[in-house]
Amino acid sequence: LAADAEQRKEGLDKSLYRSIIGESNFLLGEALQKDYEKVDEGSSLKNLKFKGSKLEESLKLYNKAIAADDSEWSSRARFNAAQLAENMSQSIRNVVAKKDGKSNRDLEEQSQRWLQVSQQYHTQNLMARQRDPYRYKDVVWIERSALKASGLQPQVESASRSLPSALDTTQPYQWSH
């Protein structure tokens, strides 16, 4: 469908063309995502590399859907790409955890990099809405990206956290109930 739309690009309405290209590449990326999800990383680096190759194939198609610039399909592709990157980060951390507690610096860095990629996709969704609020006003994938992006912010150091007190020391005990 994408190839057919590409050949007939001149005869199609611009928004219809973007929608067709976006949807078809998104669906192809989603099909490859299912192949990615079937791969069990186990504790093997070989399986993890194979899973990474499936991830890259899926991300290429999602990036084509994003490039089509259809509000629905590009934002949905960004969200799915972010979810894939976050999942890959978790898969890497699972492999590191199964390695008998041995820390592997390279794998930890890759895990962190995939988290950053995920954050970038979510941020791109938010920036797309900021650039053109009218086009993206009713797109649920941007709202979901906003929720995920807020949860992916760097954690606050435990020393700087202050927990609220359940009982203020100036309040008499009998009034606290």
Side-chain angles (χ1 to χ4, degrees), residues 26 30 33 59 62-63 65-66 71-87 117-126 139-149 152:
F26 175 83
E30 200 172 43
Q33 180 178 346
L59 285 179
Y62 281 144
N63 285 330
I66 292 167
S71 60
E72 174 69 22
W73 296 108
S74 63
S75 60
R76 194 170 180 180
R78 281 188 211 100
F79 183 82
N80 274 25
Q83 292 293 98
L84 267 177
E86 187 176 349
N87 184 282
V117 168
S118 175
Q119 181 71 28
Q120 287 172 349
Y121 277 116
H122 287 306
T123 303
Q124 287 173 8
N125 251 354
L126 298 174
V139 179
V140 69
W141 303 105
I142 294 192
E143 297 304 321
R144 289 181 182 180
S145 280
L147 290 172
K148 292 296 281 187
L152 291 174

Side-chain angles (χ1 to χ4, degrees), residues 146-162:
L147 290 172
K148 292 296 281 187
S150 66
L152 291 174
Q153 296 300 324
Q155 297 296 319
V156 178
E157 292 298 319
S158 59
S160 66
R161 289 186 194 156
S162 62

Side-chain angles (χ1 to χ4, degrees), residues 79-152:
F79 183 82
N80 274 25
Q83 292 293 98
L84 267 177
E86 187 176 349
N87 184 282
M88 186 63 179
S89 174
Q90 184 61 48
S91 294
I92 293 170
R93 284 182 289 187
N94 290 345
V95 167
V96 169
K98 291 177 184 176
K99 290 279 184 188
D100 300 325
K102 295 178 185 175
S103 179
N104 185 330
R105 190 75 182 141
D106 290 338
L107 288 178
E108 290 172 5
E109 287 175 4
Q110 285 180 11
S111 173
Q112 197 60 30
R113 184 180 73 82
W114 283 114
L115 272 181
Q116 290 171 349
V117 168
S118 175
Q119 181 71 28
Q120 287 172 349
Y121 277 116
H122 287 306
T123 303
Q124 287 173 8
N125 251 354
L126 298 174
M127 290 173 57
R129 181 178 62 186
Q130 190 173 14
R131 279 192 307 271
D132 194 353
Y134 182 75
R135 253 182 86 202
Y136 292 95
K137 70 178 179 172
D138 294 327
V139 179
V140 69
W141 303 105
I142 294 192
E143 297 304 321
R144 289 181 182 180
S145 280
L147 290 172
K148 292 296 281 187
S150 66
L152 291 174

Side-chain angles (χ1 to χ4, degrees), residues 1 28 49 59 64 76 138 172:
L1 184 61
L28 289 170
K49 286 182 182 181
L59 285 179
K64 285 182 180 180
R76 194 170 180 180
D138 294 327

